[in-house]
Amino acid sequence: MVKLIGLKNLFSKGLPKMPRDYIVRLVFDRRHKSLAILSSDADLERNPAVEGTDDEIVGAICYRAYHEMKFAEIAFCAVAQSQQVKGYGTKLMNLLKMHAVTEGVEYFITYADNYATGYFKKQGFTRTITMPKSRFHGLIKDYDGGTLMECYVHPSIDYTRIPEMIKAQKEYILDRVRDVSKSDKVVYPPLPRGWTPDGQARANANANGNGNVNANGNSLEAGSGAHSGNSLRKNTRGGKTKTGMIIPTLSSRGNEAALRAMAIPGMAEAGWTMTDLLASTAAAKDNDRQRNHLKSELLTIIRKVEDQQFAWPFREPVDTTEVTDYLGVVKEPIDLSTMDKRIRKGDWYKSKQHLQVDMMMMVNNCKAYNDATSQYFECATNLEKFLKVIFQDA
């Protein structure tokens, strides 16, 4: 009983928006079970005053198993403020999964608030619900503003050994890479002082990755054995060599540096191409920085919208198997998760204005399908006002 009271206090502190009487009802309900991590003996020796108090509880999860349907609903999950960012949340969830297997549980399901979705994603939960709705519909409590998430519990995985398994898999992959890799088995002689690649070496390296370079580091024309004698500076306009290979036009220092690098013995054999080297130039890096900056800005906007209480109807696509007439009204469905995927894919949105267009289409879709007196229409109206604020500088 003392431990249950401690759990109740932990959940009340960790979940301040949850009604306390509701927490008490579920923690003391015989149909609900709680799994907790307590302070170790070593911790108690260092700080004996916490023994038997609420501070002895590091973290806990309260859940209810529906054995006939082979799933469990997680009601509360919290870690003490002083014990956070130490891995206890992950350990707690892994222990719960191991215990769930003994109870025949196949799925965990929960409603996560905006601050908990990140944690649950790290623990293997997803917003895509694969469990048939008939198994949990009417059994779990629906929460306004929460995100329904699911996790499949594999019966043959030892979740307490996941770090060890990942380490072993990583070592195996690295061993296989070392077996097939040649980069650490072939050693080329050092380049002589004053070495300069000529045009033919660059053409060979760029056209077929097989520059013929003699012991002095100078290139030999294919089949001729004669040194071409042309330095890099003398072949900057591009064109064709005697063998028909194309020498790229040097339009910048980045191109010149890439061609010099490709002429070094072993570069082409190691798998490097002109495309790889040009991608590492300052101009390419600057373009990447701009794309990453835009991507970060757009994802921040998505997160800000998702965090709003009125955003819950827009987080996932409308289930057209349930709302069968939706596509008859809405011709271009759009939602926040689809926008998130488009942003992460890379080149869908060229600017914030482009994202704003999709956001407004989402609002208009909602207004077009739903009645003006519905809560969905009200959420769309509030979202429209919010978009005007966050896109005012766009």
Side-chain angles (χ1 to χ4, degrees), residues 64-84:
R64 178 180 176 181
Y66 295 88
H67 298 100
E68 293 181 359
M69 297 301 179
K70 295 186 177 181
F71 82 92
E73 178 192 12
I74 295 178
F76 312 122
C77 176
V79 174
Q81 187 73 30
S82 60
Q83 302 292 346
Q84 291 184 2

Side-chain angles (χ1 to χ4, degrees), residues 173-284:
I173 292 173
L174 291 176
D175 286 342
R176 293 293 300 143
V177 170
R178 283 190 284 267
D179 286 342
V180 301
S181 175
K182 298 180 181 179
S183 59
D184 61 336
K185 300 179 179 66
V186 179
V187 179
Y188 290 87
L191 298 178
R193 185 182 300 275
W195 176 84
T196 302
D198 63 16
Q200 184 60 48
R202 299 196 316 278
N204 287 342
N206 192 34
N208 64 3
N210 259 332
N212 296 316
V213 183
N214 63 19
N216 294 325
N218 298 319
S219 70
L220 302 175
E221 286 201 22
S224 68
H227 181 259
S228 63
N230 295 322
S231 69
L232 181 68
R233 293 287 181 182
K234 295 178 182 178
N235 273 304
T236 59
R237 295 184 179 180
K240 290 187 177 181
T241 67
K242 297 177 182 178
T243 56
M245 298 176 181
I246 299 174
I247 301 175
T249 301
L250 298 182
S251 58
S252 68
R253 291 183 179 179
N255 288 353
E256 182 177 328
L259 287 170
R260 287 176 59 86
M262 280 304 300
I264 297 175
M267 286 293 290
E269 289 79 358
W272 287 91
T273 65
M274 278 293 294
T275 303
D276 297 329
L277 295 172
L278 289 174
S280 65
T281 62

Side-chain angles (χ1 to χ4, degrees), residues 84-87 89-91 93-94 97 110 112 115-127 149-152 159 162-163 166:
Q84 291 184 2
V85 200
K86 295 181 180 180
T90 298
K91 184 175 183 179
M93 187 62 70
N94 288 338
K97 291 176 182 177
T110 188
Y115 302 102
T117 53
Y119 164 76
F120 281 107
K121 280 184 180 179
K122 291 179 181 178
Q123 308 313 316
F125 284 72
T126 174
R127 296 179 181 180
M149 303 186 76
E150 170 198 282
C151 178
Y152 174 68
Y159 288 95
I162 284 181
I166 293 177

Side-chain angles (χ1 to χ4, degrees), residues 13 27 52 87 103 111 130 168 184 198 210 213 272 303 368 392:
K13 293 176 182 177
V27 170
E103 295 191 32
Y111 271 96
T130 59
D184 61 336
D198 63 16
N210 259 332
V213 183
W272 287 91
R303 296 288 87 81
Q392 60 184 352

Side-chain angles (χ1 to χ4, degrees), residues 373-390:
T373 59
S374 68
Q375 59 178 336
Y376 298 101
F377 196 97
E378 181 182 357
C379 288
T381 302
N382 290 332
L383 176 57
E384 185 174 11
K385 294 177 182 177
F386 183 71
L387 293 179
K388 291 180 180 178
V389 175
I390 61 176

Side-chain angles (χ1 to χ4, degrees), residues 91-350:
K91 184 175 183 179
L92 190 63
M93 187 62 70
N94 288 338
L95 290 172
L96 178 62
K97 291 176 182 177
M98 291 298 296
H99 178 72
V101 172
T102 65
E103 295 191 32
V105 171
E106 294 180 347
Y107 291 92
F108 276 114
I109 197 165
T110 188
Y111 271 96
D113 60 27
N114 295 330
Y115 302 102
T117 53
Y119 164 76
F120 281 107
K121 280 184 180 179
K122 291 179 181 178
Q123 308 313 316
F125 284 72
T126 174
R127 296 179 181 180
T128 303
I129 309 301
T130 59
M131 182 171 58
K133 192 173 182 179
S134 57
R135 286 174 65 171
F136 63 87
H137 184 65
L139 295 177
I140 66 173
K141 181 177 175 60
D142 294 328
Y143 295 89
D144 290 338
T147 301
L148 186 62
M149 303 186 76
E150 170 198 282
C151 178
Y152 174 68
V153 182
H154 201 288
S156 63
I157 292 179
D158 185 351
Y159 288 95
T160 60
R161 295 183 61 249
I162 284 181
E164 299 172 35
M165 290 189 290
I166 293 177
K167 182 179 179 181
Q169 290 171 354
K170 181 179 178 181
E171 290 178 351
Y172 174 79
I173 292 173
L174 291 176
D175 286 342
R176 293 293 300 143
V177 170
R178 283 190 284 267
D179 286 342
V180 301
S181 175
K182 298 180 181 179
S183 59
D184 61 336
K185 300 179 179 66
V186 179
V187 179
Y188 290 87
L191 298 178
R193 185 182 300 275
W195 176 84
T196 302
D198 63 16
Q200 184 60 48
R202 299 196 316 278
N204 287 342
N206 192 34
N208 64 3
N210 259 332
N212 296 316
V213 183
N214 63 19
N216 294 325
N218 298 319
S219 70
L220 302 175
E221 286 201 22
S224 68
H227 181 259
S228 63
N230 295 322
S231 69
L232 181 68
R233 293 287 181 182
K234 295 178 182 178
N235 273 304
T236 59
R237 295 184 179 180
K240 290 187 177 181
T241 67
K242 297 177 182 178
T243 56
M245 298 176 181
I246 299 174
I247 301 175
T249 301
L250 298 182
S251 58
S252 68
R253 291 183 179 179
N255 288 353
E256 182 177 328
L259 287 170
R260 287 176 59 86
M262 280 304 300
I264 297 175
M267 286 293 290
E269 289 79 358
W272 287 91
T273 65
M274 278 293 294
T275 303
D276 297 329
L277 295 172
L278 289 174
S280 65
T281 62
K285 289 180 179 179
D286 186 55
N287 290 334
D288 286 341
R289 279 194 294 268
Q290 292 179 10
R291 282 196 297 268
N292 290 334
H293 179 68
L294 176 62
K295 181 178 178 179
S296 177
E297 281 189 319
L298 299 184
L299 288 175
T300 299
I301 292 173
I302 293 290
R303 296 288 87 81
K304 286 182 178 179
V305 173
E306 285 184 332
D307 288 345
Q308 304 308 308
Q309 291 183 348
F310 47 75
W312 59 271
F314 308 104
R315 291 186 180 128
E316 298 293 334
V318 174
D319 189 348
T320 54
T321 60
E322 294 186 1
V323 189
T324 55
D325 63 337
Y326 185 76
L327 295 179
V329 178
V330 176
K331 303 303 181 184
E332 296 184 60
I334 189 68
D335 62 277
L336 293 173
S337 68
T338 300
M339 294 183 213
D340 185 280
K341 292 175 183 175
R342 289 177 175 179
I343 294 170
R344 295 182 187 279
K345 189 175 181 180
D347 295 327
W348 186 278
Y349 296 110
K350 305 299 182 183

